[in-house]
Amino acid sequence: MRTQTIALVLLAGLMAACGAGGDTSLNVTWTFDSGDCAANNVETVRVSWGPQGGEMQTAEFVCSDGQGLLGDLSAGSYSITAQGLDAGGVVRAISYGNTLTVGDGGTGGMPVELHLHPSPGDVTVTWTMAGGGHCPGTVILPFHITIYHPPAQPGGPLTDDVATVQESCSTGQVVLTDIPPGDYVVELDSRATTPDVYGTEEVTVVAGEDVQVDLRF
């Protein structure tokens, strides 16, 4: 999967109190939105950590172990992120990031729990008119491309939109970024009376994979 800018990063604040005995070890555990490592097609958990704004270190662990030791920390504030990789190195899950503040007494040995979410993908939508070209005849129109959750009833109205973009028909392509895994319906609508261009296509986004939808009119 290509590296994309995450549209929204949530930082979960974790405060480590002064630990008995001055334990400075940084331990991590991980869980998923649902299921286990096998259900999420994750074999390796890659954890990156370091002082906020400073150099990051990286370590990898067997996912089924459920935990890992990163090292020792001195007092300060740290950032921690994680990725879940499949056997081929594809990122199938990601964490939104954690911040950890360590006092003078160390971490107390308390582990940081990392929550892994299915990795989003990009949906590239292309379109071609009958006879070639991307616009209807010689008319250049703005096209509105929207991705929806499927209607409750097959063939029902599309109302639950996830993302939408507007693009000139002449480009022939748009990319809807960071779409969570799931089943969707892609809609292209010129929203013009004449010439009217409208089409839909079902699409499934798999965690960590991009997908292309080709619309032909």
Side-chain angles (χ1 to χ4, degrees):
M1 177 180 176
R2 298 189 307 272
T3 301
Q4 298 291 330
T5 302
I6 301 300
L8 181 62
V9 177
L10 302 178
L11 295 179
L14 296 174
M15 298 297 295
C18 292
D23 191 337
T24 61
S25 62
L26 175 59
N27 298 276
V28 291
T29 62
W30 46 84
T31 58
F32 295 88
D33 280 351
S34 62
D36 57 10
C37 297
N40 288 276
N41 194 20
V42 172
E43 291 197 2
T44 303
V45 174
R46 177 186 294 158
V47 182
S48 298
W49 81 101
Q52 291 186 338
E55 184 177 354
M56 302 290 283
Q57 303 180 62
T58 301
E60 294 187 353
F61 306 96
V62 176
C63 182
S64 58
D65 288 348
Q67 62 183 345
L69 172 64
L70 297 179
D72 294 314
L73 297 180
S74 57
S77 294
Y78 297 85
S79 298
I80 308 173
T81 61
Q83 297 175 319
L85 287 69
D86 68 10
V90 176
V91 178
R92 300 292 181 176
I94 58 172
S95 74
Y96 291 147
N98 297 72
T99 59
L100 173 69
T101 300
V102 180
D104 291 335
T107 64
M110 294 295 294
V112 176
E113 182 176 325
L114 305 172
H115 194 70
L116 294 168
H117 312 268
S119 184
D122 293 345
V123 178
T124 299
V125 182
T126 65
W127 56 87
T128 306
M129 299 295 114
H134 303 303
C135 294
T138 59
V139 180
I140 296 178
L141 293 172
F143 283 169
H144 299 261
I145 297 88
T146 307
I147 187 166
Y148 292 91
H149 289 293
Q153 298 295 329
L158 299 172
T159 58
D160 189 2
D161 62 293
V162 176
T164 186
V165 293
Q166 179 178 321
E167 186 64 67
S168 169
C169 62
S170 61
T171 64
Q173 175 180 295
V174 296
V175 180
L176 299 160
T177 61
D178 298 322
I179 305 300
D183 296 324
Y184 301 96
V185 177
V186 172
E187 174 194 72
L188 184 150
D189 191 352
S190 65
R191 301 184 184 179
T193 303
T194 303
D196 178 26
V197 181
Y198 182 86
T200 62
E201 184 73 29
E202 295 180 354
V203 64
T204 297
V205 177
V206 176
E209 297 182 14
D210 298 334
V211 64
Q212 182 165 317
V213 176
D214 298 311
L215 295 169
R216 299 181 182 276
F217 300 92

